[in-house]
Amino acid sequence: MHHLAQGEIPAAYTAYLNRKALFLAALALATAGLLIMAVSLGAVRIPAWDVLRTLAGQAASRRDALIVLDIRLPHALAALFAGMGLAASGAAMQSVLRNPLGSPFTLGIAQAAALGASFAVMILGSGVMQSSTVGAVTISNPLLTTGSAFVCSLLAAGLVIAMARYRGASPEVMVLTGVALGAFCTAGTMVLQFFADDVQLAAMVFWTFGDVARAGWREVWILGAMAVGGTAFFMLNAWNYNAMDAGDETARGLGVRVERVRMLGMFVSSLVTAVIVAALGVIGFVGLICPHMVRRIIGDDHRYLMPASCLVGGALLLAADTAARLVLAPHALPVAVLTAFIGAPGFIWLLLRRGRR
């Protein structure tokens, strides 16, 4: 009986891991289905089968090929990659800072990236201002825009890390630091807008909304590289993050170089956030809510939490973008409006839940 009990433990653990793998497979299928649905639905509805045929190079008509390949597919992929990158960055920040309320938006990093991108567009001349139905800002120098956004987001991340290392700093104190950072960066953006002319002001307000409709294939490739690369980096550090969840001293005892892992985690998270904000504007709450949704289902093991958070983030932003395009058709709401409506109540619920504990 003793040997039987010992043999049952690996079998039970294997079944436990298989359930997690099955959950990930189901999430991947659901996300793929949402991607097809996002391309299918719109002012002109294209059946899902015709979407698949078009993607396979057998479009039923020239119109279908134009709508699917040149308009809807890049927008849908931009939403997918942006959601993946923001969710992965949020999960990594929550781990390395040991702060369940951490995310690029709540810690002020997204607002700092927006200030840097606005500075590059308006002062350094990296964007061409125009009024059109497609987009108010055309980024002529994406490298300069992303670099400026990254520098500002890295400064904000450095301040957050300094607060995290300050003795006695609680998660609530760090979130309040993020609120102060966000307010400061928003004020800086407003100063730039104050000195802008009418066209520039309208352009920058529109740009900061956060919308995937402005993304073309160039932005999709950049966002895809950053989302996949950032997620791969976080996955390679999954064991380190698992160890850090048990406490810094425990992680050091297991051989983890805690400060190095923390700095690199925040660095990569800031880079991914900066690229997304520079390309699409500020999209809030995805990085905060998605890891918590997944954690309640799949647990805290980052080997599964990280890919599941990415898939949920991509699916959430895909669904929100599709709803934003349909709710006021033929007009399209910026997707950041819907993510704020979804995320703000979730953020309040997390704060109340922590307060009860």
Side-chain angles (χ1 to χ4, degrees), residues 231-280:
T231 302
F233 174 83
F234 297 140
M235 284 295 297
L236 289 174
N237 284 274
W239 190 89
N240 292 332
Y241 298 155
N242 286 343
M244 289 174 68
D245 282 346
D248 288 359
E249 293 302 320
T250 302
R252 290 191 183 96
L254 293 171
V256 178
R257 299 172 65 181
V258 172
E259 296 304 326
R260 182 173 180 271
V261 171
R262 179 169 288 133
M263 290 294 292
L264 283 175
M266 290 297 292
F267 181 89
V268 175
S269 298
S270 300
L271 176 60
V272 173
T273 300
V275 171
I276 293 172
V277 172
L280 305 179

Side-chain angles (χ1 to χ4, degrees), residues 265-326:
M266 290 297 292
F267 181 89
V268 175
S269 298
S270 300
L271 176 60
V272 173
T273 300
V275 171
I276 293 172
V277 172
L280 305 179
V282 178
I283 299 174
F285 294 108
V286 174
L288 174 69
I289 299 300
C290 292
H292 284 284
M293 292 169 58
V294 172
R295 194 175 279 114
R296 293 177 66 86
I297 300 172
I298 209 170
D300 293 321
D301 188 342
H302 283 79
R303 294 175 300 170
Y304 300 95
L305 174 63
M306 194 62 70
S309 296
C310 288
L311 290 171
V312 170
L316 177 65
L317 208 53
L318 268 174
D321 177 58
T322 304
R325 287 190 289 108
L326 297 177

Side-chain angles (χ1 to χ4, degrees), residues 132-145:
S132 72
T133 56
V134 177
V137 177
T138 301
I139 302 298
S140 58
N141 192 336
L143 185 62
L144 179 60
T145 306

Side-chain angles (χ1 to χ4, degrees), residues 327-355:
V327 68
L328 292 178
H331 303 287
L333 279 175
V335 68
V337 174
L338 281 188
T339 60
F341 275 122
I342 296 170
F347 181 58
I348 294 172
W349 176 78
L350 287 173
L351 286 175
L352 293 175
R353 188 163 167 259
R354 282 192 57 81

Side-chain angles (χ1 to χ4, degrees), residues 29-109:
L29 287 174
T31 304
L34 277 172
L35 180 64
I36 299 300
M37 185 185 74
V39 178
S40 172
L41 299 177
V44 177
R45 183 167 183 176
I46 301 174
W49 176 247
D50 288 344
V51 171
L52 292 173
R53 287 180 58 193
T54 302
L55 295 178
Q58 300 176 354
S61 66
R62 182 180 176 85
R63 185 202 67 171
D64 286 359
L66 178 66
I67 293 174
V68 171
L69 299 178
D70 293 344
I71 300 174
R72 291 185 188 169
L73 184 60
H75 296 173
L77 289 176
L80 176 66
F81 291 139
M84 289 174 59
L86 291 173
S89 298
M93 286 180 179
Q94 290 167 15
S95 178
V96 299
L97 297 175
R98 298 190 63 205
N99 182 353
L101 301 178
S103 76
F105 187 77
T106 55
L107 296 180
I109 294 174

